[in-house]
Amino acid sequence: MKTLSHYRKVLSQHEDPARFVLGRVLVRTHLCTLLTINCGLYRLHFAPSVYTLNYWLKPNVRDWAEHEFLLACLRPGDTVVDVGANQGMMALTAAWAVGSTGKVFALEPHPITFARLQKNLQVNGATNVSATNVAVGSSEGTTMFSDGRDDSGNSVTPDGPLQVPVRTLDHLLAGGGQQIALMKIDVEGYEKFVLEGAAQTLVRTACVYFEAHDPMYRTHGYTCGDVVAMLHRAGFHVYRWLPGNVCMSEVDEAYKTSAVPENLLAVRDIESFLHRAGNRYRLSAGVPSYS
C-alpha cells in the first residue's frame, strides 16, 4: 500500500495538484464516464483508468512526444499498424494524420480495454481504423493475460486470469500487400515475439516505432540487443531519441535501456525518414552513450 508521504511527494511534483486530485476522484467514483476529453484532434471517452486520466491531465496530444512523432512522419494515404493499441489514443492520432484515404490497423488483446477502444472510435466516427481484439505474437494460439487496474500495464503473463487469442501479424495482414509506413509496437515486454511473427510484414514496412525496456524484456528471456539484432537482420537501422526528442542517435546490439522504458525507432532509410518528417529530427553528431 502506498504511504501518505508517497502521495505528498506526488502532489508536490505535479504542475496542477488540485486537478490531479480531482481526476483521481473522478476515476475512483466512475463519474469520469460522464465526460469526454478534448484532445485537440479528437475526443476521448473518459474511462475509469489511470491511462485515460493522464490524457485528462495533459489533453492536447500535440504536447506528447509520441503523438508529435506520428504527426510528423505520417501522410494522407499511409497505412499504419498499431500493436498494443490500448484505448486507441495513438491509433486516433494516426487516423487523423493518414486521413480518409489511409488505413490504421489497431490490435488490442484486453477485452475491457478493447471495448474502450471501440467506444473512442465510435465517438470520433473513425471509419479508417480497423480494430481487432487479439494479442500478437510469434505463432497462432492463445495466451494468458493480466487484468490489472492500470490498463496501460496489462501484458502476457503465464499466471494471468484472462485467456486471449494470439495471432501473428503475417496472418492478420496476409493478402493486404500494401506498404506500411509505420508499425507501432507497445506490448509490455512482448515486442520480440511480435516481430518474430512479422517476417513477411516487415519486408513492406518502412518504420518500426517500439517500446524498449530491458527489465521487461528480461522477464520474457531476452534483451534489447536481441531486438536490435533482429531488426538489423530485417534491414533496419535502430535509433534512440536524446533528451528533448529532437536529436537521434543510432544504437547497436550492445545497447541497454535504463530502468525507464523508452521508445526506439527502426528505419530502413534514415535520410528518407528525416526528409518525410520535415527535418523535425536530426542525427546527433556525437557518439551514442549506452546505459
Side-chain angles (χ1 to χ4, degrees):
M1 181 179 293
K2 293 178 180 177
T3 64
L4 187 61
S5 61
H6 166 81
Y7 287 108
R8 278 201 298 262
K9 182 179 179 181
V10 169
L11 287 174
S12 67
Q13 295 175 344
H14 205 276
E15 294 180 2
D16 190 342
R19 187 172 176 84
F20 176 80
V21 171
L22 175 60
R24 283 287 193 179
V25 171
L26 289 171
V27 168
R28 184 60 63 90
T29 61
H30 285 214
L31 288 172
C32 59
T33 58
L34 302 174
L35 307 173
T36 59
I37 304 168
N38 184 352
C39 292
L41 304 180
Y42 48 81
R43 301 191 70 83
L44 295 176
H45 175 65
F46 195 166
S49 77
V50 173
Y51 191 42
T52 322
L53 173 60
N54 289 333
Y55 281 84
W56 187 75
L57 295 170
K58 187 179 176 182
N60 188 348
V61 293
R62 292 185 183 277
D63 294 334
W64 293 66
E66 299 92 334
H67 292 270
E68 248 334 280
F69 165 75
L70 295 182
L71 295 172
C73 72
L74 294 177
R75 295 290 180 269
D78 280 346
T79 296
V80 177
V81 179
D82 185 353
V83 185
N86 203 276
Q87 297 175 47
M89 288 73 158
M90 295 283 278
L92 282 167
T93 295
W96 187 92
V98 304
S100 60
T101 59
K103 187 71 175 180
V104 178
F105 295 92
L107 310 169
E108 170 55 44
H110 193 283
I112 294 176
T113 306
F114 181 75
R116 293 170 177 168
L117 163 62
Q118 289 182 306
K119 177 79 170 180
N120 284 326
L121 298 180
Q122 181 182 22
V123 165
N124 291 280
T127 57
N128 60 345
V129 181
S130 173
T132 306
N133 186 196
V134 68
V136 179
S138 58
S139 60
E140 307 280 302
T142 61
T143 189
M144 306 312 292
F145 208 77
S146 68
D147 189 27
R149 282 179 55 192
D150 181 3
D151 54 1
S152 65
N154 282 316
S155 62
V156 171
T157 180
D159 57 352
L162 301 178
Q163 182 172 280
V164 299
V166 182
R167 299 290 181 267
T168 67
L169 280 181
D170 284 346
H171 173 86
L172 288 165
L173 302 175
Q178 69 269 51
Q179 295 299 302
I180 297 168
L182 177 68
M183 180 189 297
K184 169 252 170 186
I185 311 174
D186 184 352
V187 288
E188 304 302 309
Y190 215 63
E191 281 75 4
K192 175 175 177 283
F193 307 105
V194 171
L195 293 170
E196 285 179 343
Q200 298 170 32
T201 307
L202 285 173
V203 171
R204 50 193 173 93
T205 299
C207 300
V208 181
Y209 183 68
F210 65 101
E211 185 178 62
H213 191 211
D214 266 308
M216 284 195 299
Y217 286 178
R218 282 195 293 269
T219 66
H220 291 286
Y222 68 97
T223 67
C224 185
D226 294 327
V227 177
V228 173
M230 182 182 301
L231 288 163
H232 281 172
R233 291 193 296 271
F236 294 89
H237 294 269
V238 183
Y239 299 84
R240 65 184 291 241
W241 271 270
L242 302 180
N245 295 301
V246 174
C247 289
M248 302 167 61
S249 177
E250 187 168 5
V251 303
D252 62 21
E253 295 164 22
Y255 184 66
K256 299 177 182 178
T257 70
S258 68
V260 179
E262 63 179 298
N263 293 315
L264 299 183
L265 177 68
V267 298
R268 293 191 178 280
D269 184 336
I270 187 61
E271 295 301 328
S272 293
F273 167 79
L274 294 175
H275 177 73
R276 175 179 254 252
N279 297 313
R280 173 181 174 80
Y281 306 109
R282 61 180 182 269
L283 293 181
S284 171
V287 177
S289 58
Y290 299 131
S291 302

